[in-house]
Amino acid sequence: MAAGVLGFLFGICFLSGIAFLAGYQIYYETSESMQPVIRKGSLLLVKEYEIYGPGDIVAFYTWYEGEKLCVTHRIVRELAEDAYVTKGDANCQEDREVVKKGDIMGKVVGYIPYFGYVCFWLKDNCVFLVLLLAAGLLRGHALFLEEKI
């Protein structure tokens, strides 16, 4: 079982590294504002582009209740060359704040439903995972020593 968990963790790190090298950023959908297109808990692949327009689902930073958050919403219209009005697909109203091009991290080019939950868990349980890895290494070392005797 420990080998399976370690293999899974290695796979996640490997895929994240490949995505990074290919110019993608990884984000997670933390709300239900983009349902039914993108479900809460999805892992998002985001790529930066020079031009954005209506219909594009973009990840951008905005201030909400004194905290800077990454939001994933659809551009509904362009106000100027570098200013956009956005809206979550499940929301009734457009976002109040105009999104500037400089705040956009990129366009969502793909997503893996529910895979973000795995990443949330990994992030919240990294101490547990380090202990699991240490236990696996100690067990492997003990087995190695038994074979030598």
Side-chain angles (χ1 to χ4, degrees):
M1 168 136 164
V5 170
L6 291 175
F8 181 73
L9 296 175
F10 176 77
I12 289 173
C13 293
F14 181 75
L15 291 175
S16 296
I18 291 205
F20 175 76
L21 291 174
Y24 295 94
Q25 299 172 60
I26 295 175
Y27 293 96
Y28 313 107
E29 184 59 41
T30 58
S31 76
E32 297 175 347
S33 68
M34 286 305 295
Q35 289 192 151
V37 176
I38 300 174
R39 299 217 173 268
K40 181 179 180 179
S42 295
L43 181 136
L44 309 173
L45 289 173
V46 175
K47 187 163 179 100
E48 189 175 357
Y49 287 89
E50 288 293 319
I51 299 171
Y52 302 101
D56 290 344
I57 299 173
V58 294
F60 59 92
Y61 281 100
T62 189
W63 288 96
Y64 181 74
E65 295 182 359
E67 189 176 348
K68 196 167 189 176
L69 298 176
C70 184
V71 177
T72 306
H73 281 174
R74 187 181 304 275
I75 294 175
V76 291
R77 70 178 184 275
E78 189 172 352
L79 295 178
E81 188 175 326
D82 65 344
Y84 308 94
V85 175
T86 57
K87 177 183 167 296
D89 288 359
N91 296 349
C92 297
Q93 297 178 329
E94 296 174 343
D95 298 336
R96 290 183 211 150
E97 300 293 322
V98 172
V99 177
K100 303 246 188 286
K101 184 178 179 182
D103 293 329
I104 296 177
M105 303 311 295
K107 180 170 34 171
V108 176
V109 295
Y111 62 94
I112 303 171
Y114 306 112
F115 201 71
Y117 285 124
V118 174
C119 297
F120 289 142
W121 185 86
L122 291 173
K123 179 180 163 194
D124 291 341
N125 294 287
C126 67
V127 171
F128 168 74
L129 295 171
V130 168
L131 291 174
L132 181 66
L133 177 62
L137 290 173
L138 287 173
R139 176 71 177 139
H141 183 69
L143 290 174
F144 177 75
L145 290 177
E146 283 179 13
E147 288 180 9
K148 287 196 140 197
I149 295 177

